[in-house]
Amino acid sequence: VELEKKINSSLLFEDEEEEQKVAKDQEVGDDVEEEEEARPKKKAQRYKRLSNEELEGLEKKKLQCDITLLEESLSQMKPDMRAISEYKQKQKEYLQRMGHLDQITTQRNGARKQYDDLRKKRLDEFMAGFSRITMKLKEMYQMLTLGGDAELELVDSLDPFSEGIVFSVRPPKKSWKNIHNLSGGEKTLSSLALIFALHHFKPTPLYVMDEIDA
């Protein structure tokens, strides 16, 4: 009988303490009441009332150990109800920054695509014009020198805009030479052939030439 009274009194004490704990948590959580309304409310845990037969089958030491563990667990439970509102605020900021990042990434990808398209367009137009000018240069130089040959070569074929172009000519009955190693007259004829080739690619109504042999 004494054991039954002690157990029942312990259970009643735990019920009262649990109810006080729930009431205290509800008061602390007033600042997040709106957020908590959307979540399902948990009911306070209730302990089962034991009959006399069930009480007789329990061990006193085990009950005391369980009671001690429960009391320690309750004393250590100090939830901060503000953590929910802080979490939602941080989540909102995170989603805003992620949206901003996606927007910036989309703009960056669009600018990069536009840049790559312009580079490809510049390269395609340059190579098309370069091929036409090279073919016409050969024709013009052969006509001016009556048998010579000329060639425009890319220093770097993968990136023609980085290193430039080499202008090589082969005067009649001579070997291939860079334009810098030619005589004055040969340089003049080579320059005229290049000017006429450029004129064929992009003609203009009028040319003014002053000291062409310089």
Side-chain angles (χ1 to χ4, degrees):
V1 175
E2 292 180 358
L3 177 62
E4 179 181 358
K5 291 180 179 181
K6 289 182 179 179
I7 294 175
N8 289 332
S9 62
S10 298
L11 294 176
L12 290 173
F13 174 77
E14 291 176 357
D15 287 343
E16 293 175 356
E17 186 176 3
E18 182 66 22
E19 290 176 356
Q20 292 176 359
K21 183 68 175 179
V22 172
K24 183 178 179 180
D25 290 343
Q26 290 177 353
E27 292 177 357
V28 175
D30 287 341
D31 56 341
V32 291
E33 182 177 358
E34 295 180 357
E35 291 84 357
E36 290 298 322
E37 289 178 356
R39 300 179 59 186
K41 295 183 179 180
K42 295 183 179 179
K43 295 183 178 179
Q45 185 177 0
R46 298 290 181 179
Y47 293 99
K48 180 182 178 182
R49 297 287 180 177
L50 301 178
S51 61
N52 295 332
E53 292 78 7
E54 292 174 337
L55 290 174
E56 290 178 357
L58 297 176
E59 297 181 3
K60 182 178 179 180
K61 292 183 178 180
K62 184 176 183 303
L63 288 175
Q64 290 178 347
C65 181
D66 293 341
I67 291 172
T68 303
L69 292 176
L70 290 173
E71 289 177 350
E72 292 180 355
S73 177
L74 288 174
S75 63
Q76 294 176 358
M77 287 183 181
K78 295 180 180 179
D80 187 2
M81 302 303 294
R82 294 175 299 178
I84 299 176
S85 60
E86 292 178 0
Y87 168 76
K88 292 186 176 182
Q89 180 65 25
K90 295 297 182 182
Q91 186 181 32
K92 182 179 179 181
E93 294 178 1
Y94 169 76
L95 294 176
Q96 290 178 350
R97 294 186 179 183
M98 285 298 297
H100 183 64
L101 176 62
D102 293 340
Q103 182 180 2
I104 295 298
T105 302
T106 302
Q107 294 177 357
R108 182 203 63 183
N109 294 337
R112 180 178 294 175
K113 183 178 183 302
Q114 184 179 7
Y115 172 74
D116 293 338
D117 293 342
L118 290 175
R119 280 179 57 89
K120 184 177 183 301
K121 181 180 179 181
R122 181 184 69 164
L123 179 62
D124 294 341
E125 293 181 357
F126 174 80
M127 294 305 298
F130 181 79
S131 300
R132 289 179 57 187
I133 292 171
T134 301
M135 295 296 295
K136 200 63 180 179
L137 174 64
K138 288 177 174 290
E139 179 182 344
M140 290 296 174
Y141 190 79
Q142 290 176 359
M143 182 180 65
L144 292 175
T145 60
L146 301 176
D149 198 0
E151 183 74 27
L152 292 177
E153 296 177 342
L154 297 173
V155 177
D156 187 356
S157 60
L158 298 178
D159 188 5
F161 304 104
S162 61
E163 299 295 336
I165 299 172
V166 175
F167 187 6
S168 302
V169 297
R170 182 180 62 80
K173 300 179 182 181
K174 293 184 180 181
S175 61
W176 284 95
K177 295 181 181 180
N178 190 288
I179 191 172
H180 298 292
N181 300 326
L182 298 177
S183 63
E186 291 172 341
K187 287 182 179 179
T188 301
L189 292 176
S190 301
S191 300
L192 282 173
L194 180 59
I195 290 173
F196 293 149
L198 293 172
H199 175 73
H200 180 270
F201 174 72
K202 191 174 182 180
T204 57
L206 183 64
Y207 274 101
V208 177
M209 298 183 183
D210 184 20
E211 297 181 1
I212 190 64
D213 58 338

